[in-house]
Amino acid sequence: MLNIAVVGATGLVGNEMISEIHRLITDQYKITALASSRSAGRTITINDHQYQVEELTTEIDFGQFDYAVFSAGGDTSRNFAKLFADAGCYVIDNSSAFRFEDECSLIVPEINFESYHLKSPIIANPNCSTIQSVLAIAPLVDFGIEVIDYTTYQSVSGSGLNGINELKTAVNDFYPKPITNNVIPQIDRFLENGNTFEEQKMIDETIKILNLNNIEITATCARVPVYYGHGVNIKVTFTEPINFEQISAALVDSPAISYLKDYSTYVTQLEVADTDHVYVSRIRQVGKRSISMFVVGNNIKKGAATNSVQIIKKLIKENNHA
Ligand code: A2P
């Protein structure tokens, strides 16, 4: 029987990871729920299954685990992921700690699962906004992309329980400015080049996942007073004048996205609360060489937990555990 560790099991994404393991993994498995000393001994109930939370410490027998999914912040990943990996366990990490380590792959399974071969057993799960964006851009790469402009509308669940609580209580003690009735054009800290870390992650991760070179990417990431779901407006400029019907056909043909071809229909963030589909709508041509589209996805599911568990599912198949 597989032993799957969920690190950060008490958090928003951790809870969803357990739920997605129930939904997607068909092999025999047990789940070990791990979190900090604050939650050790607590019982969490997910889909009528109860799990007693254990404290993550260096004293654990890491060799008992086959797969581990981490969603407990970068420090926990940096301190513990290698201990699991050295004991023979695959680690799927939701933090940004390993995304740009050369030997670690950064995977969206529908796009680049094969990149895990011959690399570190630590696999990075991309940033939530990046995942839904690259799913919409991947079918267009062969047309020759010159520039990508991102503008995001990101929900508070992207900040975990702290973000949810701040929108619920309207007490401003977590975000840099009030989120109630507001839009905050800052996610994560500022870097010296003027980008926020979130914006830089979208730029660098897009390049790594889609293997794009000589491309210019801008990103402006904003937090909006929405509980679940991220929206991303994407303008893609191609190297040559485009044939819009060909672009549209490439999106229709992609099984990884739900494409709303009729330009007057669209899906909003409220509508993705219970789905792992990524919806592409509002698509239109802009000038001779560009298109604009609006992409909506559930940041906790496809943007985090679902993507991680899909990676495990594929690894199980490859490793022939069945
Ligand atoms: P805990 O509940 O014990 O604090 P969220 O992002 O939704 O706030 O969730 C963060 C998750 O990361 C929680 O499960 C939290 O556990 C876990 N976590 C935070 N710090 C640590 C740590 N040092 N070791 C293990 N888990 C941690």
Side-chain angles (χ1 to χ4, degrees):
M1 183 179 326
L2 300 174
N3 191 348
I4 306 177
V6 177
V7 177
T10 52
L12 268 187
V13 173
N15 272 221
E16 191 65 34
M17 280 168 164
I18 293 176
S19 179
E20 288 298 83
I21 292 168
H22 292 163
R23 189 171 73 89
L24 294 174
I25 305 296
T26 47
D27 304 72
Q28 289 251 314
Y29 62 81
K30 76 173 228 189
I31 292 175
T32 304
L34 298 164
S36 77
S37 56
R38 291 180 290 276
S39 338
R42 248 185 74 194
T43 301
I44 51 175
T45 305
I46 295 169
N47 304 340
D48 296 330
H49 291 66
Q50 294 200 322
Y51 298 95
Q52 187 156 49
V53 180
E54 295 171 34
E55 183 182 353
L56 177 66
T57 70
T58 51
E59 307 305 312
I60 288 181
D61 168 19
F62 296 103
Q64 68 181 296
F65 302 114
D66 301 288
Y67 299 93
V69 273
F70 272 60
S71 185
D75 287 343
T76 304
S77 297
R78 273 182 285 272
N79 291 336
F80 285 92
K82 284 204 166 78
L83 300 176
F84 282 76
D86 288 347
C89 170
Y90 280 99
V91 174
I92 320 301
D93 180 37
N94 267 266
S95 81
S96 56
F98 297 99
R99 289 179 187 157
F100 292 99
E101 300 275 318
D102 280 343
E103 73 277 14
C104 293
S105 43
L106 180 65
I107 291 183
V108 179
E110 296 89 337
I111 300 175
N112 65 339
F113 176 71
E114 292 66 28
S115 69
Y116 99 91
H117 283 294
L118 302 177
K119 296 215 171 171
S120 162
I122 301 176
I123 293 171
N125 198 67
N127 169 271
C128 42
S129 295
T130 308
I131 291 177
Q132 65 184 62
S133 300
V134 293
L135 281 171
I137 296 170
L140 308 181
V141 167
D142 288 345
F143 291 97
I145 297 176
E146 190 172 275
V147 183
I148 298 171
D149 296 305
Y150 290 130
T151 308
T152 75
Y153 308 79
Q154 298 181 224
S155 63
V156 295
S157 55
S159 320
L161 289 171
N162 286 329
I164 298 273
N165 287 340
E166 179 136 340
L167 185 57
K168 253 189 203 148
T169 60
V171 176
N172 179 214
D173 55 13
F174 176 67
Y175 288 122
K177 304 222 178 190
I179 188 67
T180 309
N181 297 319
N182 210 0
V183 169
I184 307 173
Q186 179 190 352
I187 299 183
D188 217 317
R189 65 184 192 275
F190 284 105
L191 305 177
E192 276 182 7
N193 66 5
N195 284 332
T196 60
F197 189 42
E198 183 83 355
E199 290 159 354
Q200 198 64 47
K201 280 189 268 188
M202 283 194 81
I203 295 168
D204 296 340
E205 292 179 23
T206 298
I207 291 169
K208 181 165 178 176
I209 296 164
L210 294 177
N211 200 15
L212 295 169
N213 295 308
N214 301 322
I215 183 171
E216 188 182 304
I217 307 182
T218 63
T220 300
C221 294
R223 190 73 71 193
V224 295
V226 166
Y227 282 107
Y228 292 98
H230 288 353
V232 184
N233 197 78
I234 309 177
K235 184 180 175 201
V236 182
T237 301
F238 298 89
T239 50
E240 304 288 336
I242 55 168
N243 175 328
F244 185 70
E245 285 310 312
Q246 284 177 358
I247 299 273
S248 188
L251 290 168
V252 170
D253 286 346
S254 170
I257 53 169
S258 300
Y259 173 59
L260 287 85
K261 198 171 178 205
D262 174 356
Y263 61 82
S264 66
T265 59
Y266 53 89
V267 168
T268 61
Q269 278 143 270
L270 269 185
E271 292 161 272
V272 297
D274 293 318
T275 179
D276 58 2
H277 282 247
V278 169
Y279 291 93
V280 179
S281 62
R282 299 292 328 276
I283 179 149
R284 61 236 190 248
Q285 183 162 358
V286 186
K288 284 194 173 60
R289 292 194 293 127
S290 305
I291 57 134
S292 181
M293 57 186 167
F294 190 62
V295 181
V296 171
N298 184 317
N299 53 302
I300 303 296
K301 289 181 183 285
K302 185 56 187 167
T306 311
N307 200 70
S308 304
V309 178
Q310 286 170 333
I311 293 171
I312 293 185
K313 191 175 168 75
K314 281 195 167 250
L315 288 171
I316 292 173
K317 198 168 168 213
E318 291 258 319
N319 292 336
N320 210 9
H321 269 297

